[in-house]
Amino acid sequence: MILVTNNEGTLGVPTTARMLAAGHPALDAIEAGIRLIEADPSVRTVGRGGWPNLLCELELDACVMDGTTLRSGAVGALKGYLHLVSVAREIMRRLPHEFLVGEGAARFAHEIGATPAENLIEDSRRVWREWFDRTLTPAQKQAWPNIPLAELCRHAIDPETGRDTTVFLAHDNSENICSGTSTSGWGWKYPGRLGDSPIVGAGSYADTRYGAAACTGAGEMTIRCCTARSIVLYMKKGASVADAVLEAVDDMRALKTGLINRVTIHAIDTGGNHKVVAVNGSAANVYWLWDGTGDPRRCPAEAIALR
Ligand code: ASP
């Protein structure tokens, strides 16, 4: 058994580890851990308490993947619900689809009785308002929100700087390997922007035969490189988990223009090995590791510069 989460998993890691130790399936344990983080407003881009988009709306994303069936459930740009990870899980359970977004996702969340919530907390509203007052011209304020937003995207903020998006990878004692993610994505993003967290193959991927991977940071980079899927594929082709992650980092070196920023990659294999790398980051990027015995422990990620 193994559990790897990023630092934002702090509030959920004891519960997920306890459940895995008690023999619960990996997806149940991941969902229970992520729900705790989504409900806590002190984690500033997962669920309640996240940073808003340019219009001061909270649009949340999440994904789960069962590496044994290769079923996933993903939800993107959902407003007004608390436990995105559970909505994603129900998409996997109840629908012949893998991914719902926006209004359709909200309709589905309502249909299944998901917990409605006002996820925008007062502090997020205050910070957004200060940005609005400081940044926009009087003419823009007057016309708001009917102004072009594209130019304002340069203010988008990496949630990692606020220590946010969460990713969980787990291998349970029945040999299932699963993944889960939940986030509000980059603050001040263009409305409707999806990062990698809900995109299977980019922000997460799990295959019980080989392992799993999940990423945080600049989702635009891992979407372009299909990072999570690539790592699992490199393992399928015989690479160790460490080499598979380094190969995926190397893929990022081909990225030209666009948003190039920080990405943290987390990966596990079937043999209890793992690798966590902070691309363009530092060892201050910490993650949680529980290896099936004792307490989960915090470890520093290996920092790698792209250039
Ligand atoms: N990967 C997330 C996104 O692009 C953000 C993050 O994890 O920092 O939305």
Side-chain angles (χ1 to χ4, degrees), residues 45 55 121 208 218 222:
T45 58
L55 293 176
I121 60 170
T208 292
T222 66

Side-chain angles (χ1 to χ4, degrees), residues 126-288:
R126 178 189 61 76
V127 175
W128 182 89
R129 185 77 223 182
E130 282 174 12
W131 165 83
F132 180 89
D133 290 343
R134 196 176 58 241
T135 313
L136 273 68
T137 63
Q140 284 176 313
K141 285 177 188 160
Q142 176 91 36
W144 187 262
N146 301 317
I147 63 166
L149 294 179
E151 180 58 18
L152 296 173
C153 280
R154 67 176 187 280
H155 297 285
I157 298 167
D158 175 7
E160 281 213 337
T161 57
R163 308 162 71 93
D164 307 299
T165 292
T166 197
V167 296
F168 278 58
L169 303 174
H171 185 180
D172 66 25
N173 69 2
S174 303
E175 307 300 344
N176 302 299
I177 293 184
C178 299
S179 58
T181 69
S182 185
T183 189
S184 62
W186 280 47
W188 283 250
K189 63 191 174 185
Y190 199 101
R193 175 263 186 191
L194 295 178
D196 59 341
S197 309
I199 297 180
V200 172
S204 64
Y205 197 80
D207 185 328
T208 292
R209 296 170 297 172
Y210 310 109
C215 309
T216 61
E220 281 73 4
M221 293 169 68
T222 66
I223 289 171
R224 291 161 74 193
C225 292
C226 298
T227 301
R229 169 65 179 145
S230 296
I231 290 167
V232 174
L233 200 53
Y234 290 135
M235 288 195 274
K236 175 180 179 178
K237 290 298 184 188
S240 66
V241 62
D243 286 347
V245 169
L246 295 179
E247 199 64 42
V249 173
D250 198 50
D251 291 341
M252 290 181 177
R253 297 200 163 95
L255 296 175
K256 304 282 184 282
T257 73
L259 179 66
I260 309 287
N261 205 286
R262 294 188 305 153
V263 167
T264 305
I265 301 174
H266 312 74
I268 61 173
D269 69 9
T270 54
N273 305 298
H274 77 284
K275 180 86 175 169
V276 178
V277 160
V279 180
N280 289 339
S282 72
N285 280 67
V286 291
Y287 66 95
W288 286 101

Side-chain angles (χ1 to χ4, degrees), residues 1 54 65 70 106 197-198 228 254 280 297 306:
M1 276 188 297
L54 281 170
M65 184 157 185
L70 299 185
S197 309
N280 289 339
R297 54 181 205 278
L306 274 190

Side-chain angles (χ1 to χ4, degrees), residues 13-36:
V13 85
T15 296
T16 304
R18 216 171 22 247
M19 287 178 71
L20 289 170
H24 290 272
L27 262 189
D28 289 354
I30 288 174
E31 182 182 356
I34 293 180
R35 282 176 67 94
L36 294 171

